[in-house]
Structure formats: C-alpha cells, structure tokens
Amino acid sequence: MFRLNHKTLPFDALNAAMSGDLYFDESYRHEAMRWLYATDASVYQEKPLAVAVPKTVDDIRHLIQFAQEHKTSLIPRAAGTSLAGQVVGSGIVVDISNYFTNILEINAQEQWVRVQPGVIRDDLNAGVKDHGLMFGPETSTASRAMIGGMIGNNSCGLHSIVWGSTRDHLVSVKALLSDGSEVEFRSLTEAEFRAKCAGQDVASPLEQQLYQHIDDMLGEADKQQLIREGFPKPTITRRNTGYALDALLPFFEPIPLNDLAGEKTFNFCRLIAGSEGTLCFITEAKLALLPLPPKESALVCVHTQTIRQSLEANLVALEHGCYASELVDDYILQLTKTNIEQAKNRDFVQGDPKAILMVEFFAEEAATLARKVDNLIFALKEANLGYAFPVLHGEDAKKAWNLRKAGLSIMYNVPGDDKPVNLIEDCAVDVRDLPNYIDELEHMAAEKHGLALEYSAHAGAGELHVLPLINLKSVEGRKKFRALLADTAALVKKYGGSLSGEHGDGRLRGEFIPFMIGEAAFKLVQDIKRTWDPQKIFNPGKIVDTPPMNEFLRYEADVAESNQKTPFVNTVFDFSADEGILNLAEKCSGSGDCRKTHITGGTMCPSYMATRNEKETTRARANILRHFYTNPTERSKYDYDTVKEVLDLCLSCKGCKAECPSSVDMAKMKAEFINEYNEKVGASTRTRLIGNFTKLMSLASLAPWAYNAIYNTPSLRRLANKTVGFHPDRTMPHLAGTTLKKWFSGRKKSEVRGQGPTVYLFCDEFTNYNDVEVGQKTVLLLERLGYQVLIPEHVESGRTYLSKGLVKEAQKIATRNVTSLAKLITDDTPLVGIEPSAILTFRDEYPDLVGDSLKADAQQIGRNALLVDEFIAREIDAKRIDKTLFTSEKRLIKLHGHCHQKALSSLVATKKMLSLPKNYEVQLIPSGCCGMAGSFGYESEHYTLSMQVGELVLFPTVRQQPESVLIAAPGTSCRHQIKDGTGRIAKHPAEILYESLIN
C-alpha cells in the first residue's frame, strides 16, 4: 500500500558523504519518512524522492552538487507550517529543523542576533528576553515557526502594524547559491554595490551575475514603471505577490530633493524575504531586534453584531495608536465551546457576537494605558460600534490571544468532508478598503459559488484570513476551489491588493501572479528565478513555473472524480463522534502545534520535544494513519510495520487531545491501530505481559517477599528486566506486603472514622498492589474529613491493556465496570480515584468502548468519576471541609502534573487541595510529560528517550530543590520516574495532605 516505484539514483554515495541523515530507500523506516514529508499545512501532497536532514553547511553543499549532477531538486523545509504548499514537491526535502537550531551570537548593545534557520521564533525571544529585546514578527505559529520559514514567507504576525514583517528586520543572510558557492547578502553602499557588479569581493561568478542582472533590470525606467503599475499599492504593508522587486526599487530611483543627505543602500535580503526558498539556501541570518514592549498592556475585546461593524471599529482603533487589531468571528467562537483547551480561554465572551475585534495597547504607565483604553471605548460608543467592551490584562489577555491564534486549526473540527480551505485566506488590501472588499467578497462567494465565509486575524493590517468550507474530495468541490480563487484574484486586483499577504504564493497562488501584476512584470519575476537558479534546483514549482493549483491535492484524483465518501473503517472504539477514525486523522490541519519545544511549554508532544524529529510529532502520526486508512485494501506486514514505526514513540500522553486545536486524539487512534496490528501481525510476549499486569501482580502478591527480593537485587533485577525486554537500569515498583483491598476489608469497625456522605473509592490496579500506602492514606484522609469511604465491587481499570493496544480486553473490563457501578455512582455518591490514568479512563475511554446499551450509563459514571484532588476541591468550594484540621506549618510544594490529568482535567484542583493548610505554598513545575508513560519508560528501546524527556524540565527542576521542599506528583509512573531520574521521593498529593492533618 505504501511502496511506490523509486527512482534509482546513487543515494548511497550521497549518504556516505553526509554527516546528517538521509532517507531514500524502500525500507519501511525510510518509506515512512518520505510519506511524512509529502505534506505540509496546505491541501497539497506529493511524495518526495528522499528526505535529507543535514547537520552541516557541507551537507547542504553536497546536496546541491547532487541535485546539479542528477537533475533533481531541493525543497528547503523548516517547521512545515506552510499553507500554500511551499515545502511539498517531488525532489529531496531538506529539513533544517533538527540540527540548524543554534542562536549563534547576541549583540545586545547593537540590538541584533545571529541565528541558524532552524531557530524557533518563540525560543529565540526566550533567549534574548533577559537582554530586554525581542524579534518582532510573530505569526500565530510562533511557538514552532522557524526563522528560515519566516524569511521564506516574509512572516508578519498580529503586531505587524507596529513591529513590521520579517523583511523589515532581516539585516543579512549567509546562503549557498545554486552553484554551491557560499555568499553573504547584506546592506551595501552604492560604491559597494558597484564593486560587486564589477566582480570585486564576490564568492563566485554567479554572485557577480546576480548584482549585474538586478542592476540591468531595475536600472531601466520602463521596467521600473512596470513594477510600480503592476505590484500592489505601496500603502499595503503585507505583500508577498511574486518576488519583492518593488522593495528593491528605491535604490535605483533618484534621491528626492528634500533628502539629498540620505545615502541609498542595497540589500538582496529584501528580495530573499518572501522568496520561499526558491533562490538560495539560507544557512544563517542576522536579525535586528526591538526593545521589549512597554510593561503595561491591555486588550479591549470589542463585541460587534456584524463583520462590517468590526472592520469599521478597526479603523477607529488604528486612529487611536493601537499595537494590534485582530478579528475572530462567531463561527470560531462557537467551535471553541467544545475544544478542551480553548473552552478555558473564552470567559471574556459576552453573548453571541458576530465578531470580536481584539485591540491591544501598550504603555509605560498604567494611567496612560487606562486613558488610551477609555478613549477608544468612548469613540466606539459614540460611533455606535460594538455592544460590549471587556478589557483584559495579564493571563486573561494571554488566554484570549491563544484563542485567536488557534482559530484556523479549530475549524478542522467541523463535521463532514466540507473542510476549511486555505485558498483566499491571505489576501491583503489597503486597510481603508477592507470593509468594502469584504462586503464584495462575501456577496460574490454566496451568490456565485454558494459558499459562506469565516473570518479571523489581521484586520489592522488590511488582511482577514477568509476561509470557505469546501469538499476537495468531490468534483464540484475542486471546481469551486479553482473558481473561487480566480474570482477573488480579480476582486483583489480591483482594490490594488496582494493575493498573498504573509502566507506566500507557493503552488497555490503562483499561477495567478501573471494576472495580478501583468505578464510583462511577471517576466521580470521569471528572469529573477532563471538568473539565480538556472537549473531549477531550489524549490521548483513555487512562485514561477507552478503546476495548476488544483493538482497534487491530498486526495487522490480518482477518489475525487467518483465523489467517493471517506472510507468507513471498522473499529473497536466508537469513533462516531468524529465520523470515523479516518476523519479524526484528517482533522490534523498540519499546523504543527505539536512541534512546540519545552521552552514554549505544554505537554504535546514529549517525544518531539526530546528528539526534534518530525517523525515524532502528532502531525506525522496523523499523516501516516491518514494514508493507512484512506486505502482500506488488503494490507501486508510491511504496511503495518511502516505505520507502527511512526507510532512507536507516541507516549499516549493525551496532550494532543487538549492542546491540538483540532483535538486529534492520537492516544485513542494509536490504541486502535495497535489493536489491529496485534490481531493481524501478532502481539509480542512483552505486550501480553504488560497488558496482564493485574493478573501478574495478583500472582506475585502471594509471595511479595520473593518478588521484592528479585527486583531489589541489582544483578537479579537486570537479568529479569532483560528477560521481558525492559531496560536493565530501570528499577521496578515495590510490591506491598498486602493489597489495599485486603487492608480495607480487614479493618475493624472501630478503625473506621468517616460517617458522613458516602464516597466510592476506585481501587485501581497500581494502588492495590504497589502504592498501597498511598491508598491507605487517601482512605484515612477522606474519613478524617468526614466521609464514609466504600470500595465497591469492580475490576481493574483496563489502562494496561489500552496502553498496549489490547483494546478488546479493555472493552470487556469497561463493560464489567460500567455494569457493576451504574446504579451506585451518582452526583451525590461519586467514584473517586487516586491514580489519574486509571480513574480518568471512566471519563475518557469507557463511553467509547461499551456497547450502545451501556453508553448512557458510562457517560453518567464518567461525569461523576473524580480524581481525589477534584473531589476535595469541589468540597472546599462547597465549604464542607474544615480547614482548621490542618497544620499551620510553612511548606513549599513543587507539583508535577500527570499528563492525563492536564489533558482531561486540570491541576487547579490539585493546587487548591494542597493549599488547604494555610501556609502551604504550591508551585507548578512547568514540565510536560515525565517520560515514563506507563510501561513506555521501562522498555529497553524506549528507556533513553524516556530519560531525555525527563531531563527537559522535570529532572533539573527537582534536583534544584532543597530537601525541605516537598515534591508532589499524582501519577504512580511520574513518581517512579522522578525517583529513578533524581533520587528524590515524590508523594501523591493525598499523602501530603493526610500528613498535614493535626493529630
């Protein structure tokens, strides 16, 4: 299913010459990589010849030489968040995101920085923040967008009306030209420019030719006039149409009489910014930095009844000197209600506005800031623009911005095959033309194409990201796809706008450039490409010589021609809420939110944070599953192994379920696929042993001393670990001398203190056998707080089976537990759990595992299945807990949260519970996953990565803490990982709270 005919080229010799990585053969590992790089964040898909991950500049030079000799091409790629197909092609994809990631030099005094192209924008700003500086351009993808890609697209961002575009801050670049020569492009005086044209101080004849060519072209008055007439209005600050010849034009024009003292300079960086990797291969960039913004900020969220009202309000906001003016419409606002992460960010929304205009101000003094805010709101009310004007500060403002930035990806949650399409989303016009332009666009889309449009983003810069919903799997949808862009191009041209503001032309809009700027001006653009890259080595088919915009789409042409619906796939889990497992995989927009680093924070995706490999992203896993399920034909072991290779390092942390704007639940999909893998290919002995953890612990508990003797003796432990495929250095959990259930049932009545409301305790398999002391203290804590604790009849949670893809076994367990507990668990008698991964199974997986007859019962139990942290926090809010029961001793607690808890609940409840003692201070460790993830960190092939994940944030933070600081971790795996990684003993929050009780 995955293998295609592979063009025979001497890749072995290239591989031997490179110090980096090259994926080119038909082994399932290499084949998987080529499929993963077949797409970006656009609608396009084309399988590359190979994937190269260079380590050095020499590696890139070898690749250029190889492309020259064998008449192939190189496709430079950073984070792969391109929306116009810029990094999709049939040549060799060259990924600089893994090794070219260093900040090389910071000059705080002169306010510049030198970086490699794989440095992430937000990580860069974290690195220069202590110098009081920042890099201004900030796309909505700034948590993963890399400088190389930002240069390629001339990225702007939400504060571009003040901080400008990447082009405005690009001081110089080092690059390799198509002949392999290494050059530096920087600002040149007229004398230096003329020297370059004469062949002085050039790296190669090609560099001289570049200067001579641009001098010949732009020095001619008729060509200057072609550019002035054809290119977008100068008042449009966002423009990426073609190559930025208009940005070079001032050097060749006479100096105005009133500016004779000014010295003209020339810099090819202005052309390279926005060139989409088609002219040269950037290896280093020098960027101008800005001072950090004033310390005081406020976000005014203007609620309007119509889109036009919000755009008119935008003009008022600009008159008041705002730093940003961004729009989000009602469609996106509605979708945020059901998105786990964004639902937490919408508290500021009042009523049901058609649009919210988010206007931000900065000031050094709070009084000045307040005056700016008040003046804007007064002006808007005077103009009758808006019905609500909430003003947000600090974390509240940050939440609102996060909601706005997630807008595009959230739209992929819409049901059905009609999906938001990046097509006309990047058109920019003069900001004063924006209201009329949008009115005409909306009318044209509705009347001529039968399409409704959704809006977000950069109103202040004259650009709205306009998204139609189109089914690209259908013939009609493909026709609309092309026709809508053609009609929009005509409308944009009418207003003198740019068809691409910041997302680039790529292969999506490239064929419309001749229409937009005129055939004669377009020939100048073609001449630039021919001069810089005569053999079409660098990213061919973008900007010029592009294929038709409706070719090479993600969906096969034969599928589209037959109007075939998304194939139905039989699954054990119920994926009907997502319209099937394939639709869930297709929800991945490719936006790359899963490529965040530990510096940015969050949980998703821990293996990527440790490796920085595309294969370890949620996006890669969704892509490979999309390929797998799109063609439900007879599959070979090769096909299964190809997918398993990509899914292997998924820790099933569930971070993606909450943090992915499209809510791509990879843990669920991985479990489903591995279930099929186990059935079709076969489950390993280790898989069966881990799945049957509870049965094995039950057997071992008959002689716990023997189990502990083996695993407490290093030589015996290493031998036992090796036998089952665990890493020899990994310690094993202690087996308690009794089980929690035995201890609980064996207590005398006189020992039971709680006589108040009933709480049912779920005795999970890990607490029952290994963490018995944690369970005992939890029971005693709840009883001391006045609750009657009962352990109902139930079986294990099924978590171990789910973790190893033994889903049918987990389904049986879910059915038994729901049947047993359905009549017991209510709002008044909740099911309280200790281990997050176990109790949250009731909330997360059970409703999708049980049959239809039990689904309502499973949902009812899930709503009332609470972490002990959540239960106690709820009781605190209800004022049913006596705070005088706890010590007044002062303690500092560092809290590491369990991944499942962060995704499906929150750490707010845990922090509230641990703050019951009045002098306990709780601080969250800004860690993602601990790296253990159940059995993952035990397995020999995963141990090293497991420890690397721990070393990102968790281990260093714990090591820095004095012994007096308490380390809290709700998860049993997390506590074990902390012990193995740091030697510190972490405690369950319930233990800490129990121990804080006054005797």
Side-chain angles (χ1 to χ4, degrees), residues 868-885:
V868 64
D869 322 38
E870 293 175 314
F871 173 74
I872 291 178
R874 188 182 79 174
E875 298 301 283
I876 292 171
D877 290 340
K879 303 189 185 309
R880 289 194 284 261
I881 291 183
D882 183 1
K883 295 185 179 183
T884 63
L885 294 173

Side-chain angles (χ1 to χ4, degrees), residues 387-399:
Y387 70 85
F389 310 89
V391 180
L392 308 179
H393 301 272
E395 286 301 313
D396 290 335
K398 187 181 295 185
K399 288 180 180 180

Side-chain angles (χ1 to χ4, degrees), residues 83-258:
L83 294 172
Q86 284 94 328
V87 297
V88 175
S90 60
I92 303 171
V93 172
V94 185
D95 183 355
I96 51 83
S97 70
N98 201 306
Y99 298 118
F100 282 76
T101 58
N102 294 317
I103 298 175
L104 302 172
E105 182 182 3
I106 301 171
N107 189 316
Q109 184 176 358
E110 297 180 14
Q111 298 188 1
W112 55 259
V113 63
R114 283 194 307 117
V115 299
Q116 291 181 308
V119 170
I120 293 171
R121 187 271 182 186
D122 280 359
D123 290 3
L124 168 60
N125 276 6
V128 300
K129 184 178 180 180
D130 287 345
H131 299 281
L133 299 170
M134 68 173 188
F135 179 60
E138 47 169 342
T139 68
S140 62
T141 58
S143 63
R144 61 269 188 202
M146 296 176 174
I147 297 302
M150 294 183 72
I151 294 171
N153 274 3
N154 186 34
S155 297
C156 301
L158 60 89
H159 290 100
S160 68
I161 57 177
V162 176
W163 296 339
S165 68
T166 302
R167 179 179 291 129
D168 300 321
H169 301 279
L170 188 59
V171 177
S172 66
V173 297
K174 288 184 178 179
L176 295 177
L177 298 179
S178 60
D179 64 351
S181 61
E182 187 170 10
V183 299
E184 181 177 7
F185 294 117
R186 59 179 179 82
S187 181
L188 303 175
T189 64
E190 187 156 10
E192 290 171 327
F193 175 81
R194 296 300 165 196
K196 292 276 189 182
C197 291
Q200 301 171 24
D201 191 27
V202 293
S204 67
L206 178 56
E207 184 185 3
Q208 179 186 1
Q209 187 180 350
L210 300 183
Y211 285 99
Q212 287 177 337
H213 176 257
I214 202 69
D215 188 35
D216 292 342
M217 176 191 289
L218 297 186
E220 295 183 13
D222 59 336
K223 292 176 180 175
Q224 292 179 7
Q225 191 60 26
L226 282 176
I227 293 168
R228 293 190 197 98
E229 292 176 353
F231 276 62
K233 288 180 181 178
T235 55
I236 298 170
T237 57
R238 288 169 177 253
R239 45 86 57 233
N240 263 11
T241 298
Y243 295 127
L245 294 173
D246 54 339
L248 295 179
L249 207 55
F251 179 78
F252 298 91
E253 296 173 328
I255 297 176
L257 291 176
N258 61 356

